[in-house]
Amino acid sequence: MRKFIAVLIIFAFTLGMTGCRGVMEDNKKTIYIPVLGDASWLRNDGSFYNGVQLAVQDCVKEYSSLGYDVKTSIIDDKASYDNGVADAIRLGNDSKVTAVLNVQDFDVSKTTIDILSSKNKIVLLPYGCYDELCTKGYKNVFCNVPSSADLGKAMALYAARMGYSRIAVYHNGTPAQQKIAPAFELNLKSTKSKIIDYVPNIASQNDFDSIYDRWNALSCDAVVITQYGLERAYQVLEMIRQKNSKIPIIGEPIFDGANYLSTYKKDAENIVIPSTLIIQPGNKLNEFLDHYRQKYGKEADIWSIQGYDSIRLIVDTAVKNKIVNNEEIAKIMHDEKGYVGVQGTIKFHAGGALKTDIKKLNMLICKNGNFVNIKK
């Protein structure tokens, strides 16, 4: 009889523990934020995903005692449209997904953004998107880099400030590039800087020879490059440098790719691009830079900061407001006060475009294979 009672007690205790574990699991507030894009590119460059992983580790450390479980992973679309769309459908149907960091090609993200948004997933675009996507009335889509129009304006203000008066523009690619070039021209109208030539395509070095002769005849004193695709952008840069290694070149942020910078180090020297972040100095930034250096043994760049802030923006908003509901988080992300991250205060327009003070957006110059701030 005593043995039977003992067995009953053990059984009841075990059942109780199982029940407790079930309750604990049910009460766990999970925030899952996968990164959707090309895994080989993300891992080869490293900086952005390093920032993402560091943010997740910090959030787990800070918030696990409050019952929050923060997770991330790379969802590899292998730079394929079909894979990217299939992955977006799967993530959209996954109830565990809170938000998606979409770093896909713009021609893919214009489709996948709609898929994910329609399933009430928060979509954050740390590398940008087509400007028009932020005019479609999405409530849960956020682009946390300046628009193409803003980048074109920043490039124009720099060109005017430097006194470049006869500028050639090479532009080839998607609507993103087609937005930069008109914005560049529009913001030169009240200055002494003028565009003397537009070049939509350069087929070969021989083709460029005749183009360069025309530039010489027109007394070109600077060149702007807006080219879709990092490899082709650097090929165009190389052709220009072979003809003139000294002519000032202003490019778009696509040139800031670590792998290509090392390959085209000589050609990239002194090329100028706009930053995609407005970095505000302060203790929060300094602490992050030290933290990143201790973790990875190297210096953080703007993409490390962007990866870190992208995760913390969502997680900190959820924890601060004691919520995990996607729609509630997205609504608060539109708050006029914004979110104070490592880079400074991040605010969004109603459609999800980043609020950008162009005058505070630094221009970067390539020195010895690295882009560094130009002192104003």
Side-chain angles (χ1 to χ4, degrees), residues 81-292:
Y81 180 89
D82 290 340
N83 289 343
V85 170
D87 288 335
I89 292 171
R90 182 166 56 83
L91 291 173
N93 291 327
D94 187 346
S95 62
K96 297 183 180 69
V97 173
T98 306
V100 175
L101 304 188
N102 190 314
V103 297
Q104 294 176 303
D105 181 285
F106 286 11
D107 283 330
V108 183
S109 67
K110 70 180 181 182
T111 300
T112 58
I113 287 169
D114 194 59
I115 293 169
L116 293 164
S117 176
S118 69
K119 295 292 185 176
N120 294 320
K121 306 303 181 188
I122 298 167
V123 184
L124 201 62
L125 298 145
Y127 280 80
C129 65
Y130 290 138
D131 287 3
E132 59 265 26
L133 291 176
C134 291
T135 64
K136 290 191 171 185
Y138 294 121
K139 301 297 184 184
N140 50 3
V141 174
F142 303 87
C143 181
N144 52 330
V145 292
S147 67
S148 296
D150 283 342
L151 294 175
K153 182 176 181 179
M155 293 160 69
L157 293 176
Y158 173 78
R161 187 167 74 245
M162 295 301 294
Y164 303 142
S165 59
R166 302 181 65 76
I167 305 166
V169 175
Y170 170 80
H171 67 104
N172 184 281
T174 68
Q177 283 71 36
Q178 292 162 14
K179 285 276 188 181
I180 292 175
F184 180 80
E185 182 176 22
L186 178 65
N187 286 280
L188 288 181
K189 282 192 173 180
S190 60
T191 74
K192 294 181 179 180
S193 301
K194 305 298 177 188
I195 295 174
I196 49 92
D197 195 22
Y198 269 108
V199 179
N201 185 46
I202 299 175
S204 64
Q205 183 68 51
N206 287 337
D207 182 37
F208 179 65
D209 288 345
S210 61
I211 293 170
Y212 184 74
D213 289 343
R214 182 168 75 241
W215 288 357
N216 258 344
L218 293 170
S219 301
C220 173
D221 61 3
V223 178
V224 167
I225 302 176
T226 66
Q227 166 68 50
Y228 175 70
L230 191 55
E231 183 175 8
R232 184 58 181 163
Y234 269 102
Q235 289 171 352
V236 171
L237 174 64
E238 183 180 36
M239 285 189 279
I240 295 172
R241 288 302 194 208
Q242 285 178 359
K243 298 294 289 186
N244 188 331
S245 62
K246 301 296 184 182
I247 191 166
I249 296 178
I250 306 170
E252 59 171 301
I254 195 172
F255 281 99
D256 191 7
N259 295 334
Y260 282 90
L261 276 171
S262 60
T263 302
Y264 292 92
K265 186 175 178 180
K266 182 179 178 182
D267 294 326
E269 190 74 3
N270 292 323
I271 185 173
V272 171
I273 65 172
S275 176
T276 52
L277 299 183
I278 297 175
I279 306 292
Q280 299 173 9
N283 291 336
K284 200 164 188 175
L285 174 63
N286 294 334
E287 288 170 5
F288 169 78
L289 296 176
D290 289 340
H291 186 29
Y292 187 93

Side-chain angles (χ1 to χ4, degrees), residues 55-73:
V56 169
Q57 291 169 16
D58 287 352
C59 288
V60 169
K61 184 177 179 181
E62 293 173 34
Y63 300 140
S64 60
S65 63
L66 300 176
Y68 286 89
D69 185 20
V70 181
K71 298 178 180 179
T72 191
S73 65

Side-chain angles (χ1 to χ4, degrees), residues 295-308:
K295 173 68 178 179
Y296 295 109
K298 57 184 177 181
E299 298 301 321
D301 61 15
I302 61 171
W303 297 112
S304 312
I305 295 171
Q306 182 75 320
Y308 190 87

